[in-house]
Amino acid sequence: DKAGHKHFMAKEIAEQPTVLANALSAYLTDGGIHFTDEGLDFTKTERLVMVACGTAFYACLTAKYWFERIAGLPVEVDIASEFRYREPPIMPGTTALFVSQSGETADTLAALRFCKDRADRILSVVNVAESSIARESDVALPIHAGAEIGVASTKAFTCQLNVLLLLAIEAAHQRGRLSDADKARMLDDLRGLPGIFNIALDRNEIVRTVAVAISEARDILFLGRGLMYPLALEGALKLKEISYIHAEAYASGELKHGPIALIDNTVPVIVMAPSDSLFDKTVSNMQEVMARGGRVVLITDAAGAARAGHDVWKTIILPEVSEVLAPILYALPAQLLAYHTAIAKGTDVDQPRNLAKSVTVE
Ligand code: M6R
């Protein structure tokens, strides 16, 4: 049931305020965060190893910034198909964390099994609570996204980020890196996120006009720094999955180390950059692109748009959010951009060619 939408993907994008709110009410109590009745102890955790595929892997890359910055916890992130055959040493004190919408991805499950007798503990963040990955974990945390039908993952990504951020906040608090007041403030910010998503959904029409403008391109670059780098990767993946346009993402600082050679006026460059502490660096990257004729689409907030100058080709302005929450919100324009570009190209949005919703073979 597409609930009045043309595609499952559109429905699932639009559902995000609701499912995020549901997930928050499942995990938040008056006193804080409730994961399990036994509680989840991070005080003895020395390192986190996070493993996943595709979009779930990008959720892990985002969470690495959170765990390291907020909780001071060293994190390694790996693609499941690489991790499982590399068979890396797992030190005592390691918690292994697997992220999977379906909970059935073959490589992620194999990586989990490799860690079973080696890691102190196996955690998973899943959408399907009865899945193999959930069953084989010590603790499986549901993301409460509801069934996701569209092959391109949308609401599962933001709901994965939501649970991963809750974990990072809890770990930071337990490890004495976050005061009671700071924890309460971050949770309050999170409670406000579904409302902000609702406001951001109103940007649908402007994103659609940008999508029409980029739909003729053969190649598209996505750039992001810090927490926005994994979002750039996710934006590029989403776009290539359903519009079949070649899209690549780079960390903005890597531009001069190679990809700038690709820039000319046929290559739109999507820059994802809220006006955070790294914004000025991103502005100089954009200037480098524009000086070579590159057409910049800037996804930012009002303050960022004001600081970006007049040469930006198109700007998508999102509501302001804290630096920590920005990656969850910035997933939305990336999803809408891919969706509307696919519509403009007339491709099959929900069932893109060559792809399966759940990759249960290697
Ligand atoms: O079910 P999983 O989260 O384990 O799936 C992982 C990837 O196959 C999945 O995220 C894939 O990359 C999506 N099609 C992305 O939109």
Side-chain angles (χ1 to χ4, degrees), residues 50-61 77-84 97-102 104-111 133 153 157 160 234 237-238 241 357-362:
M50 301 180 74
V51 182
C53 300
T55 285
F57 170 67
Y58 299 145
C60 295
L61 282 183
V77 181
D78 212 342
I79 295 167
S81 55
E82 289 297 313
F83 180 91
R84 64 179 287 196
L97 172 49
F98 300 87
V99 180
S100 174
Q101 186 283 130
S102 62
E104 301 296 345
T105 299
D107 285 322
T108 310
L109 182 58
I133 288 175
S153 186
F157 179 65
Q160 284 161 354
E234 169 64 1
L237 176 67
K238 217 91 295 173
E241 276 190 297
K357 180 64 184 161
S358 169
V359 184
T360 52
V361 291
E362 299 187 43

